[in-house]
Amino acid sequence: QLAQLLGAVSRRNPYGDHLQVRKTLAARKADLLPLIDLSRTIGMNAPSSLQVLLRTSNITPCPPEEWLFLDTETTGLAGGTGTYAFLVGMARVVNGRIELEQFFMRDFREESSMLADVAARLAGKPLLITFNGKAFDWPLLEKRFRMQRMRLEQPPAFHLDLLHPSRHLWRAQLGSASLADLERGVLGIRRENDVPGERIPRIYFDYLRGGRAEPMVEVFRHNENDLLALVRLTANLLKLLASPLPKLR
């Protein structure tokens, strides 16, 4: 029933099966314009806002179409060996649209299958973009790969965690640098009927015990909205860094 509600398909690989959602979302051009502008200037030796965000000059210029946005939904926030990433969402910006993929394990036996496809998407990417991913999402995924005795071939070359520049720029103004507060205070977006993050583990465990599929649909929507927020926040940061500083009189 969940697959029908989501328009998802069951994917099979040598490790087994898992569920996958793929969709393309039209985005407002204004949301993506900084990414489009950056794509046009790649290779022109212009000062790179991306280098400022990453605090390195070693990154090879790469168009935004090659960047990968990632967000996970997990069975808890502790991040220990008993914590699973049961839903891994990824997004890319292609031709002014957002291509979204979500990988889901319908039970714990599907973890290795899901991780195999996640690893294939991550392989060789020049840039991974997350929110609090350096402290949580990425270490958790690395741990789950190790627990399944799987190797992540060619992990992304660079990892941009948006939490750190966002905290530096807006925490004093907003009083917080949570993704929800940044959406409201910086992007001007207020989610309607969004499932609270702290309820998500319980919803998943209820689903595993044979509960209704509809609450899980809301978890997928929450993950999708998080990915859209990552794309918009990245564009906003790039636009801010590309803006000329006011001249002092």
Side-chain angles (χ1 to χ4, degrees):
Q1 187 185 9
L2 180 61
Q4 278 186 319
L5 291 171
L6 293 168
V9 296
S10 182
R11 293 277 299 172
R12 172 166 288 185
N13 58 39
Y15 292 90
D17 302 281
H18 63 279
L19 208 63
Q20 180 183 1
V21 174
R22 294 187 69 177
K23 61 173 70 173
T24 301
L25 307 172
R28 294 187 308 166
K29 188 175 181 181
D31 286 338
L32 302 182
L33 194 57
L35 298 180
I36 296 169
D37 286 345
L38 182 62
S39 183
R40 289 172 182 158
T41 60
I42 284 294
M44 296 176 62
N45 297 319
S48 173
S49 299
L50 195 57
Q51 290 177 347
V52 175
L53 289 173
L54 289 166
R55 297 185 177 184
T56 179
S57 59
N58 294 327
I59 184 169
T60 302
C62 56
E65 289 81 6
E66 296 180 14
W67 305 351
L68 189 67
F69 299 85
L70 180 142
D71 184 68
T72 64
E73 306 304 332
T74 67
T75 59
L77 299 177
T81 55
T83 302
Y84 292 76
F86 65 82
L87 173 62
V88 181
M90 299 180 179
R92 295 188 309 131
V93 177
V94 180
N95 297 325
R97 293 175 178 269
I98 299 172
E99 292 188 355
L100 178 80
E101 284 188 293
Q102 292 168 305
F103 305 89
F104 176 69
M105 58 183 201
R106 291 165 289 194
D107 59 55
F108 295 123
R109 294 170 297 180
E110 294 190 344
E111 183 183 30
S112 57
S113 172
M114 181 193 75
L115 289 177
D117 274 14
V118 167
R121 297 300 187 277
L122 289 168
K125 288 292 182 292
L127 180 63
L128 179 70
I129 300 175
T130 65
F131 191 88
N132 198 32
K134 284 188 176 180
F136 185 73
D137 302 75
W138 188 250
L140 176 60
L141 285 176
E142 287 184 315
K143 192 171 296 179
R144 296 317 309 170
F145 278 110
R146 287 196 301 271
M147 294 293 290
Q148 290 292 344
R149 295 181 171 85
M150 299 172 72
R151 226 178 125 187
L152 181 58
E153 303 286 350
Q154 291 184 294
F158 290 92
H159 183 172
L160 172 58
D161 187 337
L162 297 178
L163 173 62
H164 304 296
S166 299
R167 184 182 283 163
H168 178 73
L169 287 168
W170 292 302
R171 184 167 62 176
Q173 174 188 342
L174 301 176
S176 165
S178 71
L179 189 57
D181 287 332
L182 291 167
E183 276 190 289
R184 288 190 294 267
V186 177
L187 303 177
I189 295 171
R190 186 178 292 273
R191 297 190 195 184
E192 299 292 336
N193 303 316
D194 186 46
V195 58
E198 61 269 17
R199 284 188 51 212
I200 288 175
R202 176 180 288 185
I203 291 173
Y204 180 63
F205 286 124
D206 286 346
Y207 171 79
L208 293 181
R209 289 190 289 264
R212 294 167 54 245
E214 285 80 3
M216 275 305 308
V217 175
E218 298 306 312
V219 174
F220 275 78
R221 185 172 295 119
H222 174 91
N223 181 257
E224 178 182 318
N225 285 330
D226 280 353
L227 289 166
L228 290 174
L230 288 183
V231 174
R232 290 170 176 142
L233 189 59
T234 301
N236 190 285
L237 282 165
L238 292 171
K239 181 179 179 181
L240 184 65
L241 290 172
S243 300
L245 293 172
K247 294 181 180 179
L248 298 176
R249 293 176 181 251

